[in-house]
Amino acid sequence: MTDLSLLLQPDRGQSARSIHVVHPDQWQDWLKEQPPRIRTAIAAHKLTGKAGNRAILPGEGPEDWAMLLVCDEAETSPFRIASLGEQLPEGSYRLASGEPGAAMLGWVLAQYRFDRYRKDEATQGPRVLLTGEPGRIEETLRLATATFKVRDLVNTPASDMGPAELEAEVEALAKSHGATVTVTRGDALEQGYPMIHTVGMAAARGREPRLIELEWGNPEHPRLALVGKGVCFDTGGLDIKPSAGMRLMKKDMGGAAHAIALAGLVMAQRLPVRLHLLVAAVENSVAGNAFRPGDVLSTRKGLTVENTNTDAEGRLILGDALTKAVEGKPGMILDFATLTGAARVALGPDLPALFANDDALAGALLDAGDNVKDPLWRLPLWDGYDEMLKSDIADMVNAPDGPFAGPITAALFLRRFVPKDIAWAHLDLFAWRPAAKPGRPKGGDAMGLRATWAMLKLRYADKP
């Protein structure tokens, strides 16, 4: 992987090729100002100024060329020139006019490659973007690093990304920032976190379930809990998934990947919070000792849950993790989970579903997502559907019968473990790009990460 710090450099007038980014509405005015050689090249390429038009523009010498991109994306879009960051040959570039601003992020993200399992191949060298706003470089690289972390963790197959590997990721993060880590497993997990234990108890030796916790920061600062679903592979359990449904289940720890990456941003920026990261790490496997449909499960909170579907396991492990987070009396809890396929049916792969018990927190997250072009879509914690969680023999079921309101009932299940006086938001996200877009290759990806980070910075960065 290329050193990301090489990809963005302060513009000190060094040699670089120019990139002309032209909005379709400005096309005719721009074209009139160009010298004859460029107008001739434009005519030869039969460009009309339509968004997506691009061409190599000749310079005065044979090696003196520039790049043209006709783009209708707003200047605030991180992905305005991302396609060029991916496709241009190695070298240094600057915008012909203006500053890249937010587009610096997309430029870096476009150069991501997951090459852990590839044979050595001739790889393209770095495409360096110059900027006259060097003060933006550090934050941009932090966001890119966090995004690459999510992508790497999600893209890694389950054979190399089990509960132990998630634990190692948290340990490495703690070592980098002087945090402490506590891992609960074995008998202590069975007694203290029975749902996490039950979901993961059928996994093979070496892939045992565990709760991984990281704590960092001044205990006198506001307490912030980040909770991630770390199902490293989900067969569906005894309610086994079909092969097509199991194909991408290495990504079922995508919520944990987001929580880990966000924790890294919090510590790198040294936000004045007392951070509590909790990752419930399991593998939902099929074996003779796997939990069964109809089993009644105990919980850390003391509630009982009738298990109606072993493939609705993510909400079970999150219930115990949320209970532990609540015991620390945080001012805010954010949880991240690849929780329901129904959320993807409703909103598609790009829009994480947002649930929150606090309107102010929900509004802050939605505004932040709009501002950084990392959108979220709020769905309701509809009280009328709470009755769907009723059980004949236990305090509640984990998954209602029937096809209705799947993301909502899952969120309502989680709400049972969070008191009303703690601001809580739940992101039901996909963590996967089924098709490539500029700056966003097919595969694992961060969704809602920039939105939550922008909200946290606004809330805490200027606090004493």
Side-chain angles (χ1 to χ4, degrees):
M1 178 64 69
T2 302
D3 181 357
L4 299 191
S5 66
L6 299 176
L7 304 183
L8 299 175
Q9 294 292 320
D11 192 345
R12 299 187 176 95
Q14 59 267 55
S15 176
R17 300 192 187 280
S18 294
I19 297 174
H20 297 265
V21 183
V22 182
H23 193 278
D25 293 344
Q26 301 168 337
W27 172 253
Q28 292 298 333
D29 291 340
W30 177 85
L31 192 59
K32 290 176 184 178
E33 297 176 355
Q34 303 310 306
R37 67 176 184 274
I38 289 182
R39 292 199 296 270
T40 299
I42 295 295
H45 284 290
K46 298 182 179 180
L47 301 186
T48 61
K50 181 180 178 181
N53 282 177
R54 62 184 63 205
I56 300 293
L57 303 179
E60 295 181 357
E63 298 299 323
D64 183 20
W65 56 268
M67 186 70 202
L68 167 67
L69 174 66
V70 182
C71 178
D72 58 1
E73 289 201 49
E75 292 187 4
T76 55
S77 170
F79 301 105
R80 187 163 63 111
I81 58 173
S83 60
L84 302 183
E86 180 177 355
Q87 297 168 2
L88 286 173
E90 67 177 280
S92 295
Y93 299 87
R94 66 164 58 87
L95 295 191
S97 62
E99 292 295 338
M104 289 192 293
L105 178 63
W107 180 273
V108 177
L109 295 182
Q111 299 186 53
Y112 172 82
R113 297 291 180 274
F114 184 68
D115 52 11
R116 177 173 174 175
Y117 300 97
R118 293 182 180 274
K119 294 180 180 179
D120 291 338
E121 299 175 357
T123 57
Q124 193 172 4
R127 280 77 75 198
V128 181
L129 184 64
L130 305 182
T131 174
E133 299 176 313
R136 301 184 68 155
I137 292 177
E138 183 178 8
E139 170 70 359
T140 300
L141 293 179
R142 281 181 182 153
L143 280 170
T145 299
T147 302
F148 282 20
K149 173 61 67 176
V150 174
R151 292 176 177 179
D152 283 347
L153 292 176
V154 174
N155 284 330
T156 302
S159 56
D160 293 321
M161 186 51 62
E165 285 76 19
L166 279 182
E167 179 182 333
E169 286 289 336
V170 176
E171 290 277 8
L173 187 64
K175 185 176 180 180
S176 297
H177 297 285
T180 60
V181 174
T182 303
V183 181
T184 307
R185 56 168 69 83
D187 291 343
L189 187 75
E190 182 177 3
Q191 296 300 316
Y193 305 91
M195 288 199 292
I196 298 175
H197 165 78
T198 298
V199 170
M201 65 184 179
R205 184 176 179 181
R207 302 181 70 83
E208 297 88 353
R210 64 206 70 192
L211 178 67
I212 309 159
E213 299 178 78
L214 175 150
E215 297 235 20
W216 172 89
N218 187 337
E220 296 182 0
H221 286 157
R223 192 170 181 87
L224 168 67
L226 306 178
V227 182
K229 172 190 170 185
V231 178
C232 297
F233 193 80
D234 181 18
T235 66
L238 294 180
D239 288 308
I240 194 166
K241 296 177 182 288
S243 59
M246 216 182 294
R247 174 64 179 84
L248 290 181
M249 282 301 100
K250 68 176 184 178
K251 78 171 187 65
D252 213 19
M253 39 61 66
H258 281 73
I260 290 169
L262 185 57
L265 285 168
V266 168
M267 292 187 288
Q269 186 78 7
R270 301 197 65 80
L271 285 191
V273 297
R274 178 62 172 176
L275 175 65
H276 188 194
L277 168 68
L278 304 98
V279 172
V282 303
E283 182 170 302
N284 188 18
S285 300
V286 178
N289 64 333
F291 73 124
R292 295 163 290 267
D295 285 353
V296 175
L297 312 182
S298 300
T299 70
R300 182 174 180 85
K301 187 174 180 179
L303 298 171
T304 56
V305 177
E306 181 186 2
N307 176 49
T308 50
N309 189 334
T310 63
D311 197 22
E313 83 297 331
R315 65 200 70 181
L316 298 175
I317 66 172
L318 286 174
D320 274 351
L322 286 167
T323 299
K324 180 57 188 296
V326 165
E327 291 168 8
K329 299 181 179 178
M332 182 192 302
I333 300 175
L334 303 177
D335 83 65
F336 303 83
T338 52
L339 205 61
T340 67
R344 308 291 76 76
V345 172
L347 299 177
D350 289 351
L351 277 177
L354 167 67
F355 296 87
N357 66 353
D358 183 277
D359 289 341
L361 174 57
L365 284 166
L366 293 172
D367 289 345
D370 287 343
N371 290 337
V372 299
K373 310 305 177 188
D374 187 24
L376 307 171
W377 196 269
R378 190 181 186 186
L379 294 181
L381 288 164
W382 188 252
D383 291 332
Y385 294 158
D386 203 55
E387 64 182 15
M388 294 185 185
L389 296 176
K390 287 182 178 178
S391 166
D392 293 333
I393 62 172
D395 292 322
M396 56 181 169
V397 298
N398 63 327
D401 294 329
F404 298 123
I408 297 174
T409 55
L412 290 172
F413 179 92
L414 297 181
R415 188 177 69 170
R416 299 283 185 99
F417 299 90
V418 181
K420 294 180 180 179
D421 61 348
I422 294 179
W424 161 67
H426 158 61
L427 275 70
D428 186 339
L429 47 86
F430 195 40
W432 190 265
R433 295 274 174 199
K437 295 182 178 182
R440 292 150 288 181
K442 181 179 178 180
D445 204 4
M447 298 172 178
L449 179 67
R450 290 182 288 115
T452 50
W453 173 233
M455 181 277 294
L456 291 176
K457 282 195 303 177
L458 188 62
R459 179 163 296 204
Y460 293 115
D462 297 327
K463 304 295 183 182

